[in-house]
Amino acid sequence: MVKLIHTLADHGDDVNCCAFSSSLLATCSLDKTIRLYSLSDFTELPHSPLKLHTYAVHCCCFSPSGHILASCSTDGTTVLWNTQNGEPLAVMEQPSGSPVRVCQFSPDSTCLVSGAADGTVVLWNAQSYKLYRCGSVKDGSLVACAFSPDGNLFVTGSSCGDLTVWDDKMRCLHSEKAHDLGITCCDFSSQPVSDGEQGLQYFRLASCGQDCQIKIWVVSFTHILARSTEDEAKQFPEDWSEDDVSVWLCAQGLNDLVGIFKMNNIDGRELLNLTKESLADDLKIESLGLRSKVLRKIEELRTEAKTLSSGIPDEFLCPITRELMKDPVIASDGYSYEKEAMENWISKKKRTSPMTNLVLPSVVLTPNRTLKMAISRWLETHQK
């Protein structure tokens, strides 16, 4: 039996997506808004509609806990919302600035994937709101995305019909033409299936397209587990392969340099040794501004490499400089920064949070004495 129990007509334009949590229904529309309704009686919540996007909202999804809602838009951003009060938690900008068509949380809520019209796909840290890795597909807009139930991999589908499988380090594991006229949706089954003979586990994946077909796939992640030791060994930039360098370039918004770096066989060790002379003379990068940007990003990478080798806890590092804090302060966004770095950030008329991109309610900086004491104790223990 199917029976209509309620109709909602609050949006002023086409409704693009709807999503359920255990207690709420979320909808998003071409009218630039997201609306939240209670499942108990379908009344709209007092803090709805959610307004921040400047163009059409294409997709929305809840974190598994239901406490956070993600929405993505033609304005090139993915916004995270607190579902309990409707306040925005973070505005995450697609590196390319392209319209974002789809977003999806990982099963443990630690990561979020956003896919854009230009084929770029970004894996975000959903807890720090920072970009983790970035990649891209060859052709078409990304219009579909799904995580495997264990969170070890996810798939994206494009308007050109390509189905691409990625692991949780944003490595492309497989890509093929799945549908002739474009993919419209894809999803994993919730339970794995086993190969009785070899004991291997697979997940079923369904994809549907504009070619009037639904295709069922089996996806094995055994090879991902086999590569886990290798991935751990490659956490240091000097151990990166040429492909790792390409992924890093995309994450820094330097997609146009991938071909040049591959042509010159730049791996992690070569990357860390690049200079302004080698960028100009060997790699033939003519733009001074582009060379300066690359050198700046490499210097940041060198700092991170030193941090990895030293084992400094990440919470002791300033999010702006990525260096050990000497005089930590708490800003109005709730995050701690090195005092001088944050004062410089604010003095340059940046009234937004370095972590969330949202406007800072106040520019007052409060000394974080507890963190300063913890750093001092750590230094005493590790510098003997």
Side-chain angles (χ1 to χ4, degrees):
M1 181 188 76
V2 177
K3 180 182 178 181
L4 177 65
I5 60 171
H6 207 90
T7 299
L8 302 169
D10 298 305
H11 283 292
D13 210 328
D14 293 355
V15 181
N16 289 325
C17 184
C18 60
F20 279 108
S21 72
S22 59
S23 60
L24 299 175
L25 168 68
T27 61
C28 62
S29 166
L30 292 181
D31 65 9
K32 310 176 189 177
T33 70
I34 304 100
R35 292 181 180 270
L36 292 174
Y37 301 92
S38 169
L39 290 185
S40 60
D41 56 5
F42 296 103
T43 55
E44 190 166 7
L45 300 190
H47 49 268
S48 177
L50 310 182
K51 297 180 180 180
L52 188 60
H53 289 294
T54 54
Y55 290 100
V57 187
H58 295 287
C59 180
C60 60
C61 63
F62 285 100
S63 64
S65 67
H67 296 154
I68 300 175
L69 177 74
S71 62
C72 57
S73 165
T74 300
D75 61 16
T77 68
T78 301
V79 178
L80 299 185
W81 307 86
N82 183 328
T83 58
Q84 296 177 325
N85 57 24
E87 291 295 320
L89 299 171
V91 179
M92 303 183 296
E93 299 179 2
Q94 201 78 1
S96 62
S98 180
V100 187
R101 302 296 189 192
V102 64
C103 56
Q104 185 67 49
F105 280 99
S106 63
D108 61 1
S109 299
T110 59
C111 297
L112 178 81
V113 166
S114 64
D118 63 353
T120 58
V121 54
V122 176
L123 186 63
W124 302 92
N125 183 319
Q127 297 174 328
S128 67
Y129 315 133
K130 287 291 187 179
L131 185 150
Y132 173 58
R133 291 289 175 89
C134 181
S136 63
V137 297
K138 293 181 180 179
D139 301 300
S141 301
L142 288 179
V143 293
C145 177
F147 272 92
S148 63
D150 61 0
N152 284 335
L153 53 85
F154 64 93
V155 297
T156 56
S158 79
S159 58
C160 288
D162 292 332
L163 191 70
T164 305
V165 182
W166 312 80
D167 70 5
D168 57 3
K169 300 291 189 300
M170 275 296 295
R171 301 178 190 275
C172 179
L173 304 178
H174 181 80
S175 184
E176 72 172 83
K177 188 80 168 181
H179 295 271
D180 291 336
L181 300 176
I183 292 174
T184 55
C185 186
C186 60
D187 198 13
F188 278 97
S189 64
S190 59
Q191 298 296 325
V193 292
S194 298
D195 182 334
E197 296 180 359
Q198 300 183 22
L200 300 178
Q201 282 195 324
Y202 303 87
F203 281 114
R204 292 191 182 99
L205 170 72
S207 64
C208 47
Q210 294 176 322
D211 55 3
C212 303
Q213 295 183 346
I214 301 169
K215 296 187 177 181
I216 312 299
W217 313 76
V218 287
V219 181
S220 169
F221 52 91
T222 305
H223 58 289
I224 297 176
L225 299 177
R227 278 174 31 182
S228 61
T229 303
E230 176 188 351
D231 288 341
E232 286 296 320
K234 286 191 173 182
Q235 64 175 313
F236 298 102
E238 59 264 30
D239 297 324
W240 286 358
S241 66
E242 293 176 23
D243 289 337
D244 294 324
V245 172
S246 297
V247 170
W248 177 80
L249 286 170
C250 292
Q252 310 308 313
L254 299 168
N255 307 54
D256 293 341
L257 297 181
V258 170
I260 296 174
F261 276 59
K262 276 188 169 292
M263 190 183 305
N264 288 272
N265 305 116
I266 304 297
D267 59 14
R269 191 173 297 277
E270 293 277 353
L271 177 69
L272 294 175
N273 290 327
L274 287 176
T275 64
K276 60 181 180 181
E277 290 79 16
S278 59
L279 289 174
D281 301 336
D282 300 335
L283 301 188
K284 309 298 182 186
I285 300 176
E286 298 180 359
S287 168
L288 176 61
L290 187 56
R291 292 201 302 270
S292 298
K293 180 178 180 179
V294 173
L295 285 174
R296 187 171 66 254
K297 295 296 183 182
I298 291 175
E299 187 56 40
E300 292 175 2
L301 190 62
R302 289 175 183 141
T303 301
E304 291 179 7
K306 291 179 182 177
T307 299
L308 281 173
S309 60
S310 66
I312 299 174
D314 193 68
E315 60 268 26
F316 293 172
L317 302 175
C318 172
I320 300 174
T321 65
R322 296 302 297 168
E323 295 177 355
L324 185 68
M325 288 184 277
K326 298 177 181 177
D327 191 7
V329 294
I330 303 173
S332 57
D333 61 358
Y335 290 93
S336 292
Y337 305 90
E338 177 61 36
K339 182 179 179 181
E340 182 180 357
M342 193 58 184
E343 286 178 341
N344 289 337
W345 177 277
I346 295 172
S347 69
K348 293 177 181 178
K349 299 182 180 179
K350 293 182 180 179
R351 288 295 300 269
T352 56
S353 163
M355 292 295 284
T356 68
N357 286 329
L358 296 175
V359 176
L360 291 169
S362 167
V363 294
V364 174
L365 303 177
T366 305
N368 191 338
R369 295 185 177 86
T370 302
L371 179 57
K372 188 173 183 177
M373 290 175 60
I375 293 173
S376 297
R377 286 195 295 269
W378 184 87
L379 286 172
E380 290 173 0
T381 304
H382 290 77
Q383 291 189 349
K384 290 182 178 179

